[in-house]
Amino acid sequence: MKGIKKLLSYITSVEYAIMAVAFVAMVLAYFVGVVNRNFIKASMPWTEEIAIYSMVYMALLGTEVGLRDGTQVAVTAVIEKLHGTVRKIVDIVEQIVLEIFSFTMLKAGIALFTKQIQTGQTTPVLKIPMYVMYFSLVLSFALIFVVQLVILIEKVQKLGQKDDKKEVAS
Protein backbone atom coordinates (compact mmCIF):
# COMPACT_ATOMS: atom_id res chain seq x y z
CA MET A 1 0.00 0.00 0.00
CA LYS A 2 2.98 2.32 0.55
CA GLY A 3 3.89 2.10 -3.13
CA ILE A 4 0.36 3.11 -4.08
CA LYS A 5 0.45 6.01 -1.61
CA LYS A 6 3.73 7.21 -3.14
CA LEU A 7 2.23 6.95 -6.64
CA LEU A 8 -0.85 8.91 -5.53
CA SER A 9 1.41 11.55 -4.02
CA TYR A 10 3.21 11.87 -7.37
CA ILE A 11 -0.11 12.04 -9.23
CA THR A 12 -1.25 14.79 -6.85
CA SER A 13 1.89 16.79 -7.59
CA VAL A 14 1.29 16.46 -11.33
CA GLU A 15 -2.37 17.48 -10.89
CA TYR A 16 -1.39 20.58 -8.94
CA ALA A 17 1.17 21.49 -11.60
CA ILE A 18 -1.38 21.12 -14.42
CA MET A 19 -3.95 23.16 -12.48
CA ALA A 20 -1.38 25.88 -11.75
CA VAL A 21 -0.40 26.13 -15.43
CA ALA A 22 -4.08 26.16 -16.45
CA PHE A 23 -4.83 28.88 -13.89
CA VAL A 24 -1.96 31.07 -15.06
CA ALA A 25 -2.97 30.56 -18.71
CA MET A 26 -6.59 31.45 -17.90
CA VAL A 27 -5.70 34.59 -15.95
CA LEU A 28 -3.23 35.78 -18.59
CA ALA A 29 -5.68 35.10 -21.42
CA TYR A 30 -8.47 37.02 -19.69
CA PHE A 31 -6.06 39.85 -18.83
CA VAL A 32 -4.89 40.13 -22.44
CA GLY A 33 -8.52 40.03 -23.58
CA VAL A 34 -9.57 42.81 -21.21
CA VAL A 35 -6.57 45.00 -22.07
CA ASN A 36 -7.24 44.39 -25.74
CA ARG A 37 -10.94 45.25 -25.46
CA ASN A 38 -10.33 48.47 -23.56
CA PHE A 39 -7.12 49.82 -25.08
CA ILE A 40 -5.90 48.12 -28.26
CA LYS A 41 -9.33 47.31 -29.72
CA ALA A 42 -7.96 44.63 -32.05
CA SER A 43 -9.68 41.31 -32.64
CA MET A 44 -8.20 38.59 -30.38
CA PRO A 45 -10.74 35.75 -30.08
CA TRP A 46 -8.03 33.25 -29.15
CA THR A 47 -7.83 34.68 -25.61
CA GLU A 48 -11.37 33.55 -24.84
CA GLU A 49 -10.72 30.07 -26.21
CA ILE A 50 -7.56 29.60 -24.14
CA ALA A 51 -9.30 30.85 -21.01
CA ILE A 52 -12.29 28.54 -21.40
CA TYR A 53 -10.22 25.44 -22.14
CA SER A 54 -7.89 26.19 -19.23
CA MET A 55 -10.91 26.57 -16.97
CA VAL A 56 -12.28 23.18 -18.07
CA TYR A 57 -9.05 21.39 -17.15
CA MET A 58 -8.81 23.28 -13.88
CA ALA A 59 -12.39 22.50 -12.86
CA LEU A 60 -12.26 18.81 -13.72
CA LEU A 61 -8.92 18.19 -12.02
CA GLY A 62 -10.07 20.30 -9.09
CA THR A 63 -13.06 17.99 -8.76
CA GLU A 64 -10.73 15.04 -8.16
CA VAL A 65 -8.66 16.97 -5.63
CA GLY A 66 -11.80 18.06 -3.79
CA LEU A 67 -13.18 14.53 -3.68
CA ARG A 68 -9.88 13.19 -2.38
CA ASP A 69 -9.45 15.64 0.46
CA GLY A 70 -13.15 15.93 1.31
CA THR A 71 -13.62 19.60 0.43
CA GLN A 72 -16.41 19.02 -2.08
CA VAL A 73 -19.80 20.38 -1.11
CA ALA A 74 -21.84 17.65 0.55
CA VAL A 75 -25.03 17.31 2.56
CA THR A 76 -23.92 15.46 5.68
CA ALA A 77 -26.79 16.08 8.10
CA VAL A 78 -27.81 12.40 8.25
CA ILE A 79 -24.31 10.90 7.89
CA GLU A 80 -22.93 12.88 10.84
CA LYS A 81 -25.56 11.35 13.15
CA LEU A 82 -24.33 7.82 12.36
CA HIS A 83 -21.54 6.22 14.37
CA GLY A 84 -19.44 3.08 14.46
CA THR A 85 -19.92 0.26 11.98
CA VAL A 86 -23.11 1.73 10.50
CA ARG A 87 -21.28 4.90 9.52
CA LYS A 88 -18.41 2.88 8.04
CA ILE A 89 -20.85 0.84 5.95
CA VAL A 90 -22.63 3.97 4.72
CA ASP A 91 -19.24 5.48 3.81
CA ILE A 92 -18.38 2.34 1.83
CA VAL A 93 -21.72 2.42 -0.01
CA GLU A 94 -21.07 6.10 -0.78
CA GLN A 95 -17.64 5.18 -2.19
CA ILE A 96 -19.13 2.40 -4.31
CA VAL A 97 -21.70 4.80 -5.79
CA LEU A 98 -18.90 7.28 -6.53
CA GLU A 99 -16.87 4.50 -8.19
CA ILE A 100 -19.82 3.50 -10.39
CA PHE A 101 -20.42 7.13 -11.37
CA SER A 102 -16.76 7.83 -12.12
CA PHE A 103 -16.44 4.62 -14.16
CA THR A 104 -19.55 5.52 -16.17
CA MET A 105 -18.22 9.02 -16.83
CA LEU A 106 -14.79 7.62 -17.74
CA LYS A 107 -16.37 5.23 -20.22
CA ALA A 108 -18.40 8.07 -21.78
CA GLY A 109 -15.33 10.32 -21.83
CA ILE A 110 -13.29 7.68 -23.64
CA ALA A 111 -16.09 7.29 -26.20
CA LEU A 112 -16.17 11.07 -26.81
CA PHE A 113 -12.38 11.24 -26.93
CA THR A 114 -12.08 8.46 -29.52
CA LYS A 115 -14.92 9.95 -31.58
CA GLN A 116 -13.07 13.28 -31.68
CA ILE A 117 -9.89 11.56 -32.81
CA GLN A 118 -11.83 9.90 -35.63
CA THR A 119 -13.59 13.08 -36.78
CA GLY A 120 -10.53 15.32 -36.68
CA GLN A 121 -12.58 18.30 -35.49
CA THR A 122 -10.59 21.34 -34.31
CA THR A 123 -11.36 24.31 -32.11
CA PRO A 124 -12.82 27.29 -33.97
CA VAL A 125 -10.03 29.83 -33.48
CA LEU A 126 -6.79 28.12 -32.48
CA LYS A 127 -7.40 24.99 -34.58
CA ILE A 128 -6.35 22.74 -31.68
CA PRO A 129 -7.72 19.21 -32.11
CA MET A 130 -10.92 18.86 -30.06
CA TYR A 131 -9.70 15.58 -28.64
CA VAL A 132 -7.29 17.64 -26.52
CA MET A 133 -10.33 19.16 -24.82
CA TYR A 134 -12.19 15.86 -24.48
CA PHE A 135 -9.09 14.29 -22.96
CA SER A 136 -9.84 16.40 -19.87
CA LEU A 137 -12.82 14.09 -19.20
CA VAL A 138 -10.71 10.96 -19.60
CA LEU A 139 -7.90 12.29 -17.42
CA SER A 140 -10.05 13.61 -14.60
CA PHE A 141 -12.46 10.67 -14.35
CA ALA A 142 -9.62 8.13 -14.64
CA LEU A 143 -7.91 9.87 -11.74
CA ILE A 144 -11.15 10.03 -9.76
CA PHE A 145 -11.77 6.32 -10.39
CA VAL A 146 -8.26 5.23 -9.34
CA VAL A 147 -7.91 7.52 -6.31
CA GLN A 148 -11.40 6.75 -5.03
CA LEU A 149 -10.75 3.02 -5.52
CA VAL A 150 -7.73 3.31 -3.22
CA ILE A 151 -9.88 5.17 -0.68
CA LEU A 152 -12.57 2.47 -0.97
CA ILE A 153 -10.00 -0.27 -0.32
CA GLU A 154 -8.76 1.62 2.75
CA LYS A 155 -12.32 1.99 4.07
CA VAL A 156 -13.04 -1.71 3.57
CA GLN A 157 -9.81 -2.58 5.42
CA LYS A 158 -10.83 -0.32 8.32
CA LEU A 159 -14.32 -1.83 8.52
CA GLY A 160 -13.25 -4.57 10.92
CA GLN A 161 -11.08 -2.31 13.06
CA LYS A 162 -12.32 -0.64 16.23
CA ASP A 163 -12.13 3.14 16.50
CA ASP A 164 -9.17 4.14 18.66
CA LYS A 165 -10.30 7.71 18.89
CA LYS A 166 -13.20 8.56 21.16
CA GLU A 167 -15.19 11.65 20.30
CA VAL A 168 -14.51 14.44 22.76
CA ALA A 169 -17.46 16.65 23.65
CA SER A 170 -16.72 20.27 23.00
Side-chain angles (χ1 to χ4, degrees), residues 53-68:
Y53 297 152
S54 297
M55 195 181 318
V56 167
Y57 268 90
M58 234 176 25
L60 287 170
L61 289 174
T63 299
E64 192 283 315
V65 172
L67 283 170
R68 183 177 354 105

Side-chain angles (χ1 to χ4, degrees), residues 109-148:
I110 290 170
L112 287 168
F113 177 69
T114 54
K115 186 70 170 175
Q116 289 302 318
I117 289 174
Q118 292 168 356
T119 62
Q121 183 181 3
T122 61
T123 60
V125 179
L126 294 172
K127 303 299 181 201
I128 297 170
M130 281 304 290
Y131 65 79
V132 172
M133 294 317 308
Y134 283 98
F135 182 71
S136 64
L137 292 169
V138 176
L139 177 64
S140 61
F141 283 106
L143 288 171
I144 289 171
F145 182 77
V146 169
V147 171
Q148 294 303 313

Side-chain angles (χ1 to χ4, degrees), residues 69-123:
D69 64 15
T71 56
Q72 288 286 11
V73 175
V75 179
T76 59
V78 175
I79 302 290
E80 288 177 354
K81 294 181 185 201
L82 301 174
H83 300 288
T85 306
V86 174
R87 175 141 185 190
K88 289 179 182 180
I89 291 171
V90 170
D91 282 344
I92 289 171
V93 170
E94 175 187 341
Q95 282 301 128
I96 291 170
V97 169
L98 182 58
E99 281 296 302
I100 292 168
F101 174 76
S102 61
F103 180 75
T104 304
M105 292 301 293
L106 174 60
K107 195 172 158 186
I110 290 170
L112 287 168
F113 177 69
T114 54
K115 186 70 170 175
Q116 289 302 318
I117 289 174
Q118 292 168 356
T119 62
Q121 183 181 3
T122 61
T123 60

